[in-house]
Amino acid sequence: MNTKRQNPPKESPEELERRRVLQETLSCLMAEEEAERVCSRLLKSFGSFDGIFCAPEEVLRGTPGIGEKTAHFLRLVTQLSQTYLEERSWNLLRIYDTASAVEMFRPKFLGRKTEAVCLMLLDGRGRMVYNNIICEGSISEVPLYLRQVLQLCMEYQVEEVFLAHNHPSGVAFPSQNDLLMTDRLMVALDSINVVLCDHIIFADESYYSFQSSGVLTRQEDIMRQAQLDETESVRRLETRLRGQHGEN
């Protein structure tokens, strides 16, 4: 039997840098030696920065060396980072495509453990005039209130809309409810001459674009065909009524 102890896997330069940053952050609240020990415990318990900074405060307090003050401090670090990223995002000024919309949306979902819906409104020049979370739900679902979306569109007098929500499960793929919600939103927005440019689902570092996948294009074709069919039905009815009137 080979009883030789195996050395732990060597950390990559990126992992070493993350460890250094976390350790220096913790040393703002405790001695350097204690900060080093607590840093190792956190990384061992949660596995990554994402696991640490997304963990609830009460869970963090379960780590030896993490008291109420330190747990709250780590939560504030996450919120501070989120605020910074959101402020940087506003410098984009205009939204040209899904990629630029993703950059504006992503900070809104940083650290969220439940689903939330974010709405982005653009004026006629593609300038962002609104970008906020409009509703929050549970870990697996979130409601979308069409009346609220329409009211915001009319209040800001916009022409284009981007919608985004997150999947805390880590799977960036639309559910049946997501597809149904998107269809209803497109129809509702079309009634006030506003275009849904994309619906984006975020899951960890990945995302799913309804526009890039072709879902929006197919739905637009269905809507246009339905409008044409309705117009044709009205035309035929008018023709029939004129014919009946002529016979009388």
Side-chain angles (χ1 to χ4, degrees), residues 219-236:
Q219 182 58 27
E220 287 171 355
D221 291 341
I222 293 172
M223 289 172 56
R224 296 290 86 79
Q225 187 59 51
Q227 291 173 346
L228 290 174
D229 292 343
E230 183 178 358
T231 301
E232 180 63 19
S233 296
V234 171
R235 187 189 66 79
R236 290 176 180 176

Side-chain angles (χ1 to χ4, degrees), residues 102-149:
V102 165
E103 292 303 311
M104 301 297 288
F105 274 134
R106 193 179 291 282
K108 296 291 185 180
F109 300 105
L110 179 65
R112 290 188 177 274
K113 289 299 185 181
T114 57
E115 288 196 15
V117 174
C118 188
L119 181 69
M120 183 189 300
L121 305 179
L122 311 180
D123 66 12
R125 297 182 181 180
R127 294 177 300 189
M128 187 178 66
V129 296
Y130 182 93
N131 183 31
N132 278 309
I133 298 291
I134 58 172
C135 49
E136 298 186 58
S138 66
I139 193 171
S140 60
E141 62 180 359
V142 61
L144 177 65
Y145 304 106
L146 296 181
R147 179 179 297 179
Q148 180 186 12
V149 175

Side-chain angles (χ1 to χ4, degrees), residues 145-197:
Y145 304 106
L146 296 181
R147 179 179 297 179
Q148 180 186 12
V149 175
L150 298 182
Q151 286 178 340
L152 286 169
C153 288
M154 291 184 286
E155 177 182 347
Y156 285 90
Q157 299 181 342
V158 298
E159 297 184 10
E160 296 179 328
V161 163
F162 279 87
L163 188 77
H165 79 281
N166 62 318
H167 280 181
S169 65
V171 179
F173 194 77
S175 66
Q176 191 62 38
N177 187 57
D178 293 334
L179 295 169
L180 181 60
M181 179 178 68
T182 304
D183 289 347
R184 289 175 175 173
L185 180 60
M186 288 187 67
V187 173
L189 291 174
D190 187 65
S191 70
I192 59 172
N193 297 316
V194 174
V195 176
L196 177 62
C197 297

